[in-house]
Structures are given as C-alpha cells and as structure tokens.
Amino acid sequence: MSAERVGRVLGRWWWFVAAVTVGSLIGSVLWQAFGPVNYEAEAELLLVLELPPDSEDRQFGIENSRAQASSVVIEDLVRLARGRSLLREVVEAVAEEGVAVNLEVLASTIDVFPLARGLRIELTWDDRSAQTIIDAAAKLLVEDQTRLYPSLTELGTLRLIDKTDEAKRPRLALVVLNAALATLAALLAAVFVVLLADWRMNRLFAEDVPDLLDTTIIGSVR
C-alpha cells in the first residue's frame, strides 16, 4: 500500500482516528486525576565510617582502605534490605500498626539501590501505607543493624539521613508522560485498525482507481 493511498484511507476515516485518540487522552487524564494512584516513599541511609582513635598520622590510608571495604559492605546491606528475612520482619512490624502487607508482593515491588556511601530504599504502593512500610524498613536497618549485620560495627555505623515524611503521588511530569504514551498508543492502534479494516473490506473508492490502474483518469460516468 503506497503512502498516497494510506493518506487517502486515513482521510476517509479521520473521524474514527480522531475520536479514539481524543477519547484515549481524556480517559487517561481522568484516570490519572481520579483513578487509583500509586504512592511513592523512600529513605536514604548513610554508612558512616569510624576511624580508630589516635590515627591522625595515618588517617588518609585508613580512610582509603575503609572506603574500599565500605563498597563491599554496602552491597551486603543492599542484599540484606532486599532479603525475605528482613522483609518478613517489616511485614510483621507494619501489621502491628494495622497495615496488612503481602510478603510476596512487597518482595517484588520494593527497590533498594546502592549509593556511594550508603543505600536508598524506594517503594511504589497502591496507597499511603507505602510510607509506613518504608519507615519500618529504615527503622529495622538502623536500630537493629548490629543484630542484622554483626560485623558492621567493625567498619562504621548505618544512619538514616533522609526520608519522605509521607507517601507522595506521582510527579506531574510522570503523569503527563503516561498520558502522552497512552494517547500515542491509541493513535497507532486506531491507524492500524483503519488500515486493516480498509484492506479487509476490499471496497473500491473512486479516488483509489488512478493508483490501482497506474494511469490518469480523465473522466467518470456516474
């Protein structure tokens, strides 16, 4: 099918393509505004290195070696924060506050990222209890770090440096992006349906005759 004929087909069905595209845009905006929205919560923890006393004369060397060791420890902490053992304790902790959380869903949803000197925990949840879950995870990691990771005390201390106060709705930029992607997908789907329907109906329109016969039409009888 030539580009010219595609243009003619879309010209015949422009109202359908426009209706689907505009309808999808309006529906996406309304869903983002009034539909169920995921909430985001996060916390950042810093591994503070502790130098031994009376080490000023060799401080640089000690800091350097401990910084190298901390990268390994941080990877261990990331795996710990993602592990089912800690998450099970998080589920039990939030249950005491009246929040029911499925362990399998939490394990597949929570994200833990290593930072240069710490880690960040992120959670996107279907209600505001995301903040309760993040608070419980951060509290366990900070208050029970010696139990969860006994050898951590030889290197430093894990401290909470930043976290959300309450779960946030998705940012406006993300909402706009989602609406734009939904609208684009609807537009492409409408174009595909129109071209497929025109081909399957196998109807012959007057404006298609010159293209099909590959010649110029100088007149027609109606």
Side-chain angles (χ1 to χ4, degrees), residues 194-212:
V194 163
L195 295 177
L196 181 63
D198 188 84
W199 172 67
R200 293 291 294 175
M201 286 190 301
N202 201 27
R203 293 179 60 187
L204 182 63
F205 293 86
E207 58 268 25
D208 294 331
V209 173
D211 185 45
L212 293 173

Side-chain angles (χ1 to χ4, degrees), residues 137-159:
K139 182 178 179 181
L140 279 169
L141 285 170
V142 172
E143 296 186 358
D144 292 353
Q145 56 186 284
T146 54
R147 174 178 63 84
L148 297 170
Y149 198 142
S151 60
L152 183 62
T153 55
E154 301 175 5
L155 181 68
T157 304
L158 193 62
R159 297 179 184 175

Side-chain angles (χ1 to χ4, degrees), residues 5-23 186-187 189-195 198 205 207:
R5 187 178 178 188
V6 168
R8 289 196 298 269
V9 171
L10 294 180
R12 286 194 292 268
W13 293 88
W14 67 268
W15 56 271
F16 175 79
V17 175
V20 171
T21 304
V22 173
L187 173 61
V191 170
F192 175 77
V193 169
V194 163
L195 295 177
D198 188 84
F205 293 86
E207 58 268 25

Side-chain angles (χ1 to χ4, degrees), residues 113 118 131 144 160:
F113 303 98
Q131 189 61 53
D144 292 353
L160 179 66

